[in-house]
Amino acid sequence: MNQHRRVIIIGAGAAGIGMAVTLQDFNMDDVLVIEGDSIGHSFKNWPKSTKTITPSFTTNGFGMPDMNAISKETSPAFTFNEEHVSGETYAEYLEVVAQHYEIDVATYTKVTDVTQNNGIYEVETNRGTYTADYIFVATGDFAFPNQPFEYGQHYSEVEDFNTLAGDDFVIIGGNESAFDAAIHLGKRGANVSIYTLTTGFDHDDADPSIRLSPYTHQRLREAVQQGAHIEMNVGYHARSITKEGDTYRVAFNNGHVRETKTEPIIATGFDVTRNPLVQQLFTVRDGEVKLTELDESTRFPNVFLIGATVRHDEAILCYIYKFRARFAVLANILMGREDLPVDQSLIETYRSNQMYLDDYSCCEVDCSC
């Protein structure tokens, strides 16, 4: 099988489906989304007790689409009547959107290799070869946990914190996933100790990509008020985790050693640079994916990175309401390269909905109080 598509999007998560909907809005036809599993697969793998930290509210129509929406006319809050939805529910939202807009998605199609031949990209999969003029990589990073230790269960491997065995937990990490784990474990009566070198808990930066979210602060306060025992230790860099018999020993650079009978929780985030597809198509240096100002690969033309893993200096697009603002910009770029007309009123519609980020210099988050 060899099928040519004008655009192939690799990944059917929030970025992949959202980009496909936007391209359709721009009348860019012949778009295929390739997904190695099912639509929203990474969201389905979230711990069952985890919910979105950004709130959903149907503010569409006032220039402020639902913060978790991937397109102008949709809203998880409207669809599910929930403000903070689970990963399973959000995956269902993505499936509803894909079905509503009749997005062409090839599920359970795993990409094994991407090569360039005379300006055309050949995408090898377990179901044959596809070719495309443009490639969007929307694979995210959830499948690539940052796990630097021999022992310890990474946050992404936990099915449900509410049913995790044990009553004394050590958590390595100091940001959203660490506190989410601590809150769930603390509320069910476990003793929880967080160890981290740095933390977003009381960071001065107002950017929620750096500072702990209000939702997490609120839940943490409520858990402590209800009697949860959560201890935070800042300035601790975990060097190693070993196991002797049924005891785990966490050694820190400052000489401190913490022992626990339950397997430590590793909440050290994710590492997109471990993705073989990213390594193949993009320049990876100093632990970062290097992109042009257009989110394009510096190695291959017409190959773009989209989604929560995009970084530009101080601009961190790790939330849906941030990275969705790039969809229409990139769609407009493609239309220009293909010499296809664009109705400027459409772009203004995206601008009026705060979904047209064409200048990264305006991304500094500054709050006076």
Side-chain angles (χ1 to χ4, degrees):
M1 177 182 67
N2 190 319
Q3 298 185 45
H4 183 78
R5 300 300 180 98
R6 179 173 286 180
V7 179
I8 286 181
I9 300 170
I10 303 175
I17 299 299
M19 189 71 226
V21 171
T22 306
L23 287 169
Q24 184 184 102
D25 211 12
F26 274 72
N27 292 318
M28 172 68 78
D29 56 6
D30 204 16
V31 177
L32 174 68
V33 181
I34 295 179
E35 166 58 47
D37 206 279
S38 59
I39 294 174
H41 175 67
S42 291
F43 291 99
K44 294 175 184 176
N45 282 342
W46 278 12
K48 293 188 183 305
S49 45
T50 298
K51 296 178 181 275
T52 57
I53 58 177
T54 46
S56 276
F57 204 81
T58 310
T59 48
N60 306 49
F62 287 84
M64 297 175 292
D66 186 323
M67 292 181 73
N68 294 310
I70 57 172
S71 61
K72 303 190 306 296
E73 293 85 13
T74 66
S75 167
F78 174 77
T79 304
F80 298 102
N81 290 317
E82 292 183 44
E83 187 173 346
H84 297 274
V85 301
S86 67
E88 192 77 29
T89 298
Y90 195 80
E92 186 178 348
Y93 159 70
L94 295 178
E95 291 171 346
V96 168
V97 172
Q99 183 177 12
H100 175 77
Y101 289 96
E102 299 181 344
I103 301 302
D104 190 3
V105 184
T107 55
Y108 302 100
T109 305
K110 300 183 186 300
V111 175
T112 57
D113 193 27
V114 178
T115 56
Q116 186 191 48
N117 186 10
N118 294 325
I120 301 297
Y121 291 96
E122 297 181 355
V123 182
E124 300 285 345
T125 77
N126 62 316
R127 294 192 172 185
T129 302
Y130 297 86
T131 58
D133 302 311
Y134 299 90
I135 299 289
F136 285 89
V137 178
T139 48
D141 58 9
F142 193 81
F144 304 95
N146 178 29
Q147 165 52 300
F149 307 107
E150 182 179 0
Y151 294 96
Q153 185 175 16
H154 193 272
Y155 176 89
S156 62
E157 299 172 330
V158 177
E159 183 176 350
D160 190 342
F161 286 105
N162 293 327
T163 59
L164 203 59
D167 55 10
D168 179 69
F169 288 89
V170 169
I171 299 174
I172 307 300
N175 291 307
E176 291 292 348
S177 57
F179 282 96
D180 183 61
I183 291 165
H184 290 303
L185 295 170
K187 287 178 68 174
R188 44 165 265 209
N191 291 315
V192 183
S193 299
I194 296 175
Y195 290 89
T196 179
L197 184 61
T198 60
T199 178
F201 176 80
D202 54 359
H203 204 288
D204 292 335
D205 199 310
D207 189 341
S209 299
I210 300 172
R211 182 185 178 93
L212 209 63
S213 71
Y215 181 58
T216 302
H217 271 288
Q218 175 187 329
R219 292 187 300 136
L220 180 62
R221 286 195 302 270
E222 291 173 351
V224 172
Q225 289 169 1
Q226 293 169 8
H229 295 93
I230 301 174
E231 173 188 270
M232 183 170 63
N233 304 278
V234 181
Y236 287 75
H237 179 74
R239 183 178 71 250
S240 65
I241 300 177
T242 57
K243 186 179 182 183
E244 298 177 5
D246 61 352
T247 302
Y248 294 92
R249 300 182 78 253
V250 184
F252 299 89
N253 278 353
N254 61 5
H256 181 72
V257 175
R258 174 65 154 83
E259 296 186 345
T260 176
K261 296 293 185 181
T262 55
E263 188 173 14
I265 303 297
I266 311 302
T268 48
F270 305 88
D271 185 4
V272 67
T273 65
R274 294 181 56 243
N275 184 341
L277 189 61
V278 169
Q279 294 172 357
Q280 181 182 10
L281 296 177
F282 298 89
T283 298
V284 176
R285 187 169 61 247
D286 300 327
E288 295 182 357
V289 181
K290 302 300 179 181
L291 302 170
T292 72
E293 288 301 311
L294 302 179
D295 303 345
E296 192 171 6
S297 170
T298 58
R299 297 176 57 195
F300 297 98
N302 300 327
V303 175
F304 300 87
L305 183 68
I306 56 174
T309 56
V310 174
R311 304 282 190 276
H312 282 282
D313 296 326
E314 301 303 315
I316 305 173
L317 306 191
C318 64
Y319 287 108
I320 292 167
Y321 75 90
K322 291 184 174 185
F323 66 70
R324 72 185 183 191
R326 291 294 291 171
F327 297 159
V329 176
L330 298 182
N332 191 37
I333 290 170
L334 261 63
M335 297 295 282
R337 292 184 182 183
E338 291 293 291
D339 197 26
L340 295 171
V342 175
D343 186 345
Q344 290 305 306
S345 65
L346 175 64
I347 292 179
E348 290 308 314
T349 300
Y350 276 91
R351 285 190 187 279
S352 65
N353 280 279
Q354 311 303 317
M355 292 178 65
Y356 200 86
L357 176 63
D358 57 352
D359 182 5
Y360 278 114
S361 66
C362 68
C363 293
E364 182 177 354
V365 179
D366 186 21
C367 295
S368 59
C369 62

